[in-house]
Amino acid sequence: MGQLATTLSLTCRRCLGGMQWPVEIEFDFRFDPDVPEGEEGEGVFALDPDAPVLDFSGPLREELVLASPEYAVCRDDCLGLCPICGADRNESVCECRSQEPDPRWEVLRELASGGQVGTAAPDDEDDSNDG
């Protein structure tokens, strides 16, 4: 049984700025010489009886990964980077205008607004295969 308190240096997923994430974890590891390497279970790890030292780095690394946030954000109201010029919108307001919409998505926009896209007007020709 043990405890680890440290601070992880992470990168905010919105603004790409550096951030610190304090971590405090409790762990309970058991090293067993009868457990083959690669077949460890939760909290139970293989022990090489001939090893000169007991290496905690693997199990601790695993605990730190599990304790770190899946999506690190420096603060809840982080505005991130401008998708056009790349400016950090937390530090300055850029003058970029939103881009013109991609015309390839126009069909879906019209369908979402209730329009009928791609319906052909009936013509006078008979398309039947009656002969």
Side-chain angles (χ1 to χ4, degrees):
M1 186 102 178
Q3 290 182 327
L4 173 68
T6 188
T7 303
L8 301 176
S9 294
L10 302 173
T11 301
C12 175
R13 69 178 288 202
R14 293 181 187 162
C15 68
L16 302 180
M19 58 178 278
Q20 302 297 310
W21 187 268
V23 174
E24 289 185 27
I25 54 176
E26 291 186 11
F27 57 88
D28 187 12
F29 300 147
R30 187 179 63 149
F31 292 88
D32 189 344
D34 296 330
V35 173
E37 191 168 334
E39 294 184 24
E40 293 101 345
E42 187 175 328
V44 180
F45 299 92
L47 172 67
D48 179 5
D50 298 326
V53 294
L54 186 58
D55 186 10
F56 278 83
S57 63
L60 285 176
R61 186 178 315 111
E62 202 173 292
E63 292 295 323
L64 285 172
V65 167
L66 292 173
S68 64
E70 187 174 1
Y71 300 108
V73 179
C74 61
R75 61 181 199 256
D76 289 337
D77 63 340
C78 177
L79 298 173
L81 301 176
C82 172
I84 298 170
C85 69
D88 186 345
R89 294 187 288 182
N90 297 310
E91 296 176 1
S92 64
V93 177
C94 63
E95 299 298 323
C96 297
R97 289 188 274 162
S98 64
Q99 295 176 319
E100 292 297 317
D102 189 335
R104 297 174 290 182
W105 293 101
E106 188 60 34
V107 173
L108 290 176
R109 270 191 287 283
E110 288 182 27
L111 283 174
S113 66
Q116 298 276 335
V117 179
T119 33
D123 55 8
D124 294 336
E125 293 182 28
D126 183 14
D127 290 338
S128 65
N129 291 330
D130 293 341

